[in-house]
Amino acid sequence: MIRWLFAAVPLGRVAALRTVTYLFIVFDLLVYTSWVRTRGDVPVDLYEPLAIARALHLPPPSGVVVDVVWWALLLLAPLAATGRRPRLLGWAVFTFYFAWMIIAMSYGKVDHDRFAFLIALAVLPTVGAARHGDRRPSEAAGWSLRVIQIAVVCTYFLAAYAKIRLGGWGWMTGSVLARAFLRRGSELADLIAVVPYALIAAQIGIVVFEALSPLVFLTRGRLRYAVIGFFYSFHLLSFATISISFAPHLVAMGAFLPLERVRPVVWARRVASRRPPAGEPPPGTDRSHPVAAPARAAGQ
């Protein structure tokens, strides 16, 4: 078990996941959870603190508190994405984002797509320094990514457990998707809804998929990437039919991918190095006869 938890992975994988994770926070604040800024003006009577908020005796957030958390994340997350001071900035970002989620989820609705993302923010700083493209194996990097992977799988498995525990076995044969399609369905959802028993089959498939999700740990290589690709496609279909986005969860799922191979800065430099200097003809051009060469090319 210890060998599995601490199986070494390249440090570059952590560096890449950090950058994606911290930059997503900026996008999240400006797009997905921009509505949280209004919570400072909501009547106190609507405040239903989460268990962690009750344990910490946190008061209802004021407008000033919400603004401080928002601006702190907007400033700290891009700095953390650079990879500098990974522990100090990483844990600061986790603390403020955790506070942001407490504010967001203390008014009657708790989204489970943030669980693995929060775990990622908590464990990524433990690795320390890591550079993009670094292929050196690290047990610390392996442990952090394994914890994130476990959180991703728990999101699925516990969702299946909650469906059966709260909705009973009848959840799979009920009208859950039918109601969702009526409330927020797309044109694609309308096409699926008219197929006999398609929604029942889909509900059974969802529970089976979520319950069997831990089997991803038994896969290796291309098979594992195919399974992760199926996970991504599942959420793509959910968004295309009922507009439910699991964007934070999809970011955390990058812990399963060989992100150390993705180096956009290096690729951009290679492309730039292949461009001829300003005023120079492209490779293969006859430089001795700059006028005749195009003419010959046209004659061909």
Side-chain angles (χ1 to χ4, degrees):
M1 186 65 177
I2 297 298
R3 291 178 58 186
W4 180 75
L5 280 174
F6 290 88
V9 301
L11 280 167
R13 192 172 303 183
V14 166
L17 186 58
R18 278 177 180 166
T19 298
V20 174
T21 300
Y22 294 137
L23 290 181
F24 174 79
I25 289 178
V26 177
F27 177 76
D28 185 40
L29 293 173
L30 297 177
V31 179
Y32 278 117
T33 59
S34 59
W35 51 268
V36 179
R37 296 196 71 187
T38 65
R39 291 297 180 259
D41 301 323
V42 171
V44 176
D45 295 342
L46 299 178
Y47 181 65
E48 299 179 8
L50 300 175
I52 183 66
R54 295 194 300 270
L56 297 175
H57 302 286
L58 297 179
S62 65
V64 174
V65 170
V66 174
D67 286 342
V68 167
V69 175
W70 192 75
W71 281 109
L73 286 171
L74 277 184
L75 293 174
L76 293 175
L79 291 176
T82 66
R84 298 177 181 177
R85 300 295 182 100
R87 290 192 173 94
L88 177 63
L89 290 175
W91 280 318
V93 169
F94 166 72
T95 301
F96 280 108
Y97 193 82
F98 191 44
W100 187 251
M101 288 294 98
I102 291 176
I103 296 171
M105 306 303 169
S106 290
Y107 292 86
K109 182 177 183 294
V110 179
D111 297 327
H112 64 291
D113 64 334
R114 308 275 166 171
F115 173 65
F117 189 77
L118 280 169
I119 295 297
L121 291 177
V123 300
L124 285 175
T126 64
V127 181
R131 295 191 302 174
H132 287 269
D134 192 341
R135 298 297 183 96
R136 290 178 299 165
S138 165
E139 291 186 352
W143 176 82
S144 66
L145 294 181
R146 185 70 76 197
V147 171
I148 300 171
Q149 292 173 358
I150 293 172
V152 168
V153 171
C154 283
T155 300
Y156 293 126
F157 186 80
L158 295 178
Y161 171 74
K163 289 180 178 66
I164 302 304
R165 176 175 174 268
L166 300 176
W169 293 103
W171 190 96
M172 293 187 288
T173 56
S175 58
V176 177
L177 285 181
R179 290 197 300 269
F181 280 20
L182 289 174
R183 288 176 53 235
R184 53 194 304 171
S186 64
E187 293 182 1
L188 176 60
D190 294 338
L191 294 176
I192 297 174
V194 298
V195 179
Y197 301 105
L199 299 186
I200 299 298
Q203 289 170 182
I204 295 173
I206 289 171
V207 173
V208 171
F209 148 64
E210 291 174 337
L212 297 181
S213 59
L215 294 180
V216 67
F217 291 121
L218 301 180
T219 62
R220 294 290 183 274
R222 293 182 179 179
L223 178 58
R224 170 168 291 188
Y225 298 146
V227 173
I228 299 303
F230 173 77
F231 288 3
Y232 277 106
S233 64
F234 168 76
H235 293 289
L236 178 61
L237 183 60
S238 297
F239 183 76
T241 53
I242 53 178
S243 302
I244 291 182
S245 172
F246 263 64
H249 180 81
L250 301 184
V251 172
M253 205 150 57
F256 284 98
L257 304 176
L259 297 179
E260 71 277 4
R261 301 178 187 176
V262 181
R263 305 188 65 186
V265 175
V266 174
W267 296 343
R269 288 174 180 172
R270 288 177 181 174
V271 172
S273 65
R274 293 173 184 172
R275 295 177 180 174
E280 289 288 328
T285 302
D286 188 345
R287 301 188 181 190
S288 61
H289 300 284
V291 176
R296 287 198 301 272
Q300 294 176 357

